[in-house]
Amino acid sequence: HLKLIVGRLQSKVALVTGGGRGIGRSIVEAFVREGAAVAVLDRPGEFAADQFVGSLKGTGAHAVALEADVADDEAVAGAVAAALAEFGRIDVLVNNAGFSQRKPFVELTLADWDNIMSVNLRGVFLVTHHVVPAMLHAAQGRIINIASQMGQLGAAQLTHYCASKAGVIGFTKALARELAPDITVNAIAPGPILTDMTKGREPGWYEQIESELPLNRLGLPEEVAPSAVFLASDDGALFTGQTLGPNSGHVML
Ligand code: NAI
């Protein structure tokens, strides 16, 4: 019998960090289209997230905006508690919040290093640490960490960023082994994607990077989101500890 077509994330609850714009926002939109209820976490003052959640609610979606800096333990605890109070559970966690900074290694300060690590790596630890008890209680869950191909490839002037993203991949594999079989943990390591993070680069950068990509073009945020939908849905049930690479062919593993 043909089943009625329903969303692949029908009746799922997801928490997406950095969900106000860029890749996170595209993941939230794709999750909502697949029928999920979504908590959109972004840092205080990122008003785009509030407006975005307002527009989602306008379409009838069950969505809530949460304010927290992912590097702040107390703020994260409060936001996760608020999500659990609103939805009763969290089935899918997407650790997407992160940022990048280019600087020659010799000019890198300890503060630069700590800032990147506190958001890109400690942030992933903190949010996951606050969400996992509820997933263990439910004996199910999907954790999806947005790493970067930079964590696989390395790049000049991005030592701290590359270290943080390689850290996310290591964290993903270790936690996947520890939380199996009820909870799966996977990473997505996108190649260059057109977002605020990559906009405004120097003239010639796009042509240069595109000439290095087998598919000859940067990706769009909405081309990363399907990997997250896949990992969150029943289709991704056999995947854990993996790193998917929507990267225009830049890294081939
Ligand atoms: P973006 O800068 O457009 O969006 C990042 C989002 O995270 C924003 O909504 C921002 O407010 C939020 N955020 C940043 N710091 C936060 C904090 N401390 N607490 C809570 N929220 C915070 O960036 P984009 O490009 O969408 O990046 C998303 C993720 O994808 C990042 O982890 C990034 O490292 C990764 N990535 C991006 C690539 C690209 O080419 N754009 C390539 C590979 C990975």
Side-chain angles (χ1 to χ4, degrees):
H1 287 290
L2 279 175
K3 273 207 236 156
L4 209 67
I5 295 172
V6 289
R8 283 176 288 172
L9 301 178
Q10 207 69 45
S11 78
K12 297 287 184 199
V13 175
L15 169 61
V16 181
T17 73
R21 60 166 206 249
I23 293 170
R25 182 186 178 116
S26 279
I27 291 173
V28 170
E29 286 170 343
F31 279 14
V32 164
R33 268 199 304 276
E34 295 290 347
V38 186
V40 180
L41 185 151
D42 218 306
R43 55 186 164 180
E46 183 62 42
F47 301 112
D50 279 344
Q51 287 169 7
F52 174 45
V53 168
S55 71
L56 288 175
K57 283 181 179 161
T59 69
H62 191 177
V64 65
L66 304 171
E67 253 188 25
D69 179 341
V70 293
D72 179 341
D73 189 24
E74 248 178 70
V76 170
V80 171
L84 289 169
E86 173 80 17
F87 298 110
R89 58 181 209 282
I90 297 170
D91 302 302
V92 182
L93 166 63
V94 181
N95 284 306
N96 162 80
F99 78 103
S100 174
Q101 176 199 33
R102 307 184 71 79
K103 237 185 186 184
F105 180 66
V106 290
E107 289 172 20
L108 209 60
T109 65
L110 182 56
D112 292 331
W113 178 270
D114 286 344
N115 283 340
I116 284 275
M117 288 298 168
S118 70
V119 176
N120 292 8
L121 197 49
R122 190 175 73 190
V124 172
F125 160 69
L126 283 177
V127 180
T128 307
H129 205 239
H130 285 292
V131 167
V132 160
M135 288 184 170
L136 286 172
H137 183 72
Q140 58 132 5
R142 300 282 171 95
I143 299 169
I144 301 163
N145 300 320
I146 308 302
S148 166
Q149 67 165 15
M150 289 305 167
Q152 302 166 314
L153 204 55
Q157 304 197 359
L158 284 171
T159 46
H160 53 343
Y161 181 74
C162 292
S164 73
K165 293 301 188 176
V168 168
I169 293 171
F171 174 82
T172 298
K173 293 178 184 177
L175 196 64
R177 292 187 190 279
E178 184 163 341
L179 298 183
D182 293 337
I183 299 169
T184 70
V185 190
N186 291 286
I188 299 172
I193 305 298
L194 265 178
T195 67
D196 289 347
M197 194 179 264
T198 43
K199 277 176 196 157
R201 293 297 302 265
E202 60 277 13
W205 181 78
Y206 296 96
E207 291 75 7
Q208 168 67 29
I209 195 83
E210 285 179 349
S211 72
E212 291 169 13
L213 298 171
L215 297 185
N216 292 132
R217 64 177 185 88
L218 273 73
L220 300 172
E222 54 268 34
E223 293 178 298
V224 176
S227 295
V229 170
F230 170 74
L231 290 170
S233 73
D234 288 347
D235 295 340
L238 208 53
F239 285 71
T240 200
Q242 306 301 312
T243 301
L244 300 190
N247 61 20
S248 309
H250 209 191
V251 174
M252 299 188 183
L253 292 175

